[in-house]
Amino acid sequence: TFNSTIINEQLPFNTYEYTVKDLNETSLYMFRIKSMNIYGEIPWSNDIPVQTIESIITSDDLPQLHVISYNSKENYLHFDYLPGDDHLRKINNEQLCLHIRQSSDGNIYQTINQCLSIHNNRVKWFLEKDFPYLKFSICSIKKQNICGQEIDMKEESNNRSTTAMIIGIAVTTCFLILIISIIIVILCCRWRKKRLTSNVNRTNK
């Protein structure tokens, strides 16, 4: 059984081509055509079989990574694509995965076992401290040997979460020191005022 869909489209006079969008790859479709005008309509044509082919993806079709950061608390790699990259108009994230190569010395890299699925420009992955050198690229899920240009994750991006934590601790510490200093100043002022009052009372006596 086939799922049938009727496309109603008003086409210009002498139109001989029409593009049907969102068809599945390597699938058989049956088309029937009919036309109508102010004088009436003609019957449906005979079934016309159309076989779609598999789309050919090259490394040039894949989007290029721009910035990568790591959230050590949730073990997420988050990334952005190169601004102005229009490759995602042809390919969506469901057809892509993130390819990772890691190294302990920056010279010899090894590939992790799987190409990671992408969800909202991030992947779930645990960053191992033994491999501080990382290279990333976007690959096709169907043909994982086809990948885009690799980029390195910069050390400051790798340690972004740690840096933010250190900054937070430093700000909190400074705030506490400020509060303690204010309390000490208030206590000193009260003590001084009390002492002056005591001296005045002695003088009056």
Side-chain angles (χ1 to χ4, degrees):
T1 60
F2 289 91
N3 294 326
S4 60
T5 301
I6 297 178
I7 302 174
N8 291 318
E9 190 81 25
Q10 185 174 355
L11 303 177
F13 183 67
N14 284 342
T15 298
Y16 301 100
E17 293 182 354
Y18 180 77
T19 301
V20 181
K21 300 179 180 179
D22 299 325
L23 299 180
N24 295 324
E25 299 178 13
T26 62
S27 300
L28 176 64
Y29 290 87
M30 305 298 292
F31 287 89
R32 290 190 297 169
I33 302 172
K34 71 180 300 184
S35 63
M36 62 185 68
N37 55 27
I38 58 175
Y39 300 106
E41 61 182 49
I42 63 173
W44 287 102
S45 69
N46 295 327
D47 289 343
I48 305 171
V50 175
Q51 177 74 40
T52 58
I53 62 175
E54 181 180 2
S55 60
I56 300 175
I57 298 176
T58 66
S59 58
D60 293 333
D61 296 322
L62 298 173
Q64 184 177 342
L65 293 171
H66 178 51
V67 176
I68 290 186
S69 60
Y70 180 69
N71 186 325
S72 58
K73 185 177 181 180
E74 299 180 354
N75 293 328
Y76 271 111
L77 276 168
H78 186 275
F79 57 87
D80 293 317
Y81 295 113
L82 192 67
D85 197 332
D86 60 352
H87 290 93
L88 287 177
R89 297 178 184 176
K90 302 178 182 178
I91 307 172
N92 56 47
N93 271 335
E94 295 177 356
Q95 299 173 276
L96 304 174
C97 59
L98 185 67
H99 179 265
I100 301 176
R101 295 197 302 136
Q102 55 189 8
S103 171
S104 58
D105 57 6
N107 295 317
I108 301 176
Y109 284 82
Q110 62 184 40
T111 303
I112 66 170
N113 294 331
Q114 60 179 339
C115 196
L116 303 176
S117 300
I118 298 172
H119 302 284
N120 297 323
N121 285 24
R122 66 179 189 174
V123 298
K124 185 78 171 179
W125 189 61
F126 179 73
L127 182 64
E128 299 181 42
K129 295 182 179 179
D130 295 336
F131 298 98
Y133 300 93
L134 301 167
K135 291 182 180 291
F136 302 91
S137 60
I138 295 295
C139 300
S140 166
I141 289 181
K142 286 187 176 181
K143 297 182 178 180
Q144 296 183 9
N145 61 319
I146 299 178
C147 298
Q149 183 176 346
E150 274 190 329
I151 70 166
D152 299 323
M153 185 167 74
K154 297 180 180 179
E155 185 176 355
E156 58 267 23
S157 298
N158 190 353
N159 297 324
R160 184 174 295 177
S161 298
T162 304
T163 303
M165 186 181 299
I166 293 174
I167 293 175
I169 293 174
V171 170
T172 303
T173 303
C174 291
F175 180 75
L176 290 175
I177 292 174
L178 178 62
I179 295 297
I180 293 172
S181 300
I182 292 173
I183 293 174
I184 292 174
V185 170
I186 293 173
L187 292 175
C188 289
C189 290
R190 288 185 176 180
W191 177 80
R192 187 176 180 183
K193 183 178 180 181
K194 185 176 181 180
R195 185 176 179 183
L196 289 174
T197 303
S198 177
N199 290 336
V200 169
N201 291 335
R202 288 179 183 177
T203 303
N204 292 335
K205 290 180 180 180

